[in-house]
Amino acid sequence: MTAQNTEHKGARLWREQPARTADEIERDSERLSSVQHAWLRQAISDRTERHKPLQYIIGEQQFGKTNIIVRPPVLIPRWETEEWVLRLAELINSHTDNVRDMQLQQGLGVPRPLNILEACTGSGCVALGLGCELTDNSARILGVDISDNALELAMDNLAYNEMLLSNHVHFRKVDLQQPVHTLPAQLQVDEGVSAGWDMIVSNPPYVTPSEYRDLDADVREWEDIRALVPLPPGTTDLQNVPSEDLDPSGMSFVVQLAKLAKELGLASKDRGEEASLRLDSLPRLVVEIGSTEQAQAACQIMYDHGLNSTEVWKDMAGTDRVVLGYFKQ
């Protein structure tokens, strides 16, 4: 019998098992301690009656090599995001290895670490995922967010996963909806580091207001709307916001990130002595989106702000999920 047939037989036998009686369930519950039994009853109630996401009940979500602590209302890491982060890490590692080998052959020494800015860091999963997956000491990563809840959780996750990190990761509170000309002063790479940013990555809010209203209660009632919907600056919900002030496309934050990339010099030629890093072969701006329409819009937004080449990655479900903007010389 093949392995597949064995699995099918096992599944059939499992389905044919008689339903367990109340007495059997009660006897099983007696194997739990009183604390475990109380936790289980509360967990079932939270999930079935309050629509609490399972990840919030368990308290953790695996993301690449990391285990990310999750708690409401900070956005729960999704598999779609994990997928593109791992793929991006492979791309960066391949680039880093090639540049290192080239510079060593030319007697130029080891190249400096790449400076990666993660916008809308939330739980910190993207920054920490890259910090674990990228080649040792090949990157410095800063995650920024406006939410105090998010930054507190990101710092907890930094401590929780510190032993897994192979690159420097830190977090900072920054409101990225401020006028972009004010942001560079708040986004210094690190004290004593003269090099600027090489890349911005982000899972920004991109859910449209109409899509948000149709989301499951698991999402609407538990996760911070600011991590999902690009709201006008200074607002924290959809109530009392005039419809004309809402973004029907979900792309307003991507526009802001494209402006920021241009302000930080990412949509321009390599910076002088850093030409040897061959940054034109790396994406300068990487953003998650949710549909083909948004992918097309994001590509145009990047072109409009100086990134002259774009690429779209699909997720495993076949949905356009990530847009990468390059500056090709």
Side-chain angles (χ1 to χ4, degrees):
M1 181 179 294
T2 66
Q4 185 177 17
N5 289 337
T6 302
E7 292 175 0
H8 288 168
K9 182 179 179 181
R12 186 176 68 254
L13 291 173
W14 180 82
R15 289 196 299 269
E16 292 172 355
Q17 291 296 314
R20 301 170 72 220
T21 66
D23 287 342
E24 288 174 327
I25 295 174
E26 183 64 27
R27 283 198 299 273
D28 279 350
S29 71
E30 292 173 357
R31 299 173 187 173
L32 301 175
S33 69
S34 58
V35 172
Q36 291 172 325
H37 189 56
W39 182 90
L40 182 59
R41 290 177 64 88
Q42 183 62 53
I44 293 172
S45 173
D46 284 343
R47 184 73 191 107
T48 58
E49 298 175 17
R50 301 178 60 214
H51 310 291
K52 188 174 186 178
L54 183 60
Q55 294 91 334
Y56 284 153
I57 294 172
I58 296 173
E60 284 188 11
Q61 173 65 43
Q62 188 170 0
F63 192 93
K65 295 177 183 177
T66 66
N67 286 310
I68 299 298
I69 303 167
V70 293
R71 54 177 179 254
V74 181
L75 190 73
I76 297 167
R78 265 59 167 187
W79 67 264
E80 299 95 332
T81 306
E82 178 185 23
E83 182 187 6
W84 70 255
V85 167
L86 296 178
R87 183 175 175 181
L88 179 63
E90 290 181 0
L91 175 66
I92 296 173
N93 283 339
S94 177
H95 168 88
T96 299
D97 292 344
N98 290 336
V99 171
R100 183 191 61 232
D101 292 346
M102 180 183 66
Q103 290 202 186
L104 290 175
Q105 290 173 5
Q106 296 175 357
L108 300 176
V110 177
R112 68 160 176 81
L114 294 172
N115 296 319
I116 301 175
L117 173 65
E118 192 225 340
C120 312
T121 194
S123 65
C125 62
V126 172
L128 294 168
L130 290 173
C132 289
E133 299 290 341
L134 295 179
T135 302
D136 290 1
N137 300 313
S138 65
R140 286 182 290 253
I141 305 163
L142 170 64
V144 300
D145 207 294
I146 190 176
S147 165
D148 290 329
N149 286 325
L151 287 168
E152 181 181 353
L153 182 57
M155 292 300 296
D156 288 346
N157 278 315
L158 175 59
Y160 193 49
N161 291 279
E162 188 172 12
M163 298 299 294
L164 300 173
L165 292 174
S166 52
N167 293 276
H168 178 59
V169 177
H170 59 299
F171 298 102
R172 190 180 303 165
K173 183 173 182 176
V174 179
D175 178 5
L176 293 177
Q177 289 186 300
Q178 298 176 75
V180 292
H181 71 272
T182 69
L183 292 173
Q186 303 175 56
L187 293 172
Q188 295 296 319
V189 176
D190 258 332
E191 186 175 350
V193 176
S194 59
W197 295 105
D198 301 308
M199 182 186 302
I200 300 175
V201 301
S202 183
N203 175 16
Y206 57 78
V207 176
T208 68
S210 60
E211 289 172 338
Y212 180 79
R213 296 184 182 97
D214 292 333
L215 291 177
D216 291 339
D218 304 42
V219 178
R220 285 185 291 101
E221 296 177 5
W222 287 94
E223 295 183 279
D224 190 345
I225 186 175
R226 293 178 298 173
L228 296 162
V229 180
L231 297 172
T235 59
T236 57
D237 57 50
L238 290 175
Q239 296 179 2
N240 303 319
V241 179
S243 58
E244 61 268 22
D245 291 341
L246 295 174
D247 172 20
S249 70
M251 288 285 97
S252 59
F253 215 101
V254 175
V255 172
Q256 183 73 354
L257 291 176
K259 291 179 179 178
L260 178 61
K262 186 173 183 179
E263 184 72 22
L264 294 175
L266 298 182
S268 60
K269 294 182 180 180
D270 286 335
R271 295 177 288 265
E273 72 280 1
E274 298 182 9
S276 60
L277 291 176
R278 295 174 58 201
L279 295 176
D280 61 344
S281 65
L282 280 178
R284 304 296 183 93
L285 176 59
V286 180
V287 294
E288 181 173 318
I289 41 82
S291 67
T292 298
E293 293 75 14
Q294 287 191 334
Q296 293 171 345
C299 287
Q300 187 60 54
I301 289 166
M302 292 184 186
Y303 278 120
D304 291 344
H305 291 84
L307 296 168
N308 57 17
S309 179
T310 58
E311 181 181 6
V312 178
W313 287 351
K314 293 183 181 293
D315 62 26
M316 288 189 293
T319 300
D320 288 342
R321 184 59 61 189
V322 187
V323 177
L324 303 91
Y326 297 78
F327 182 82
K328 299 288 188 179
Q329 299 189 59

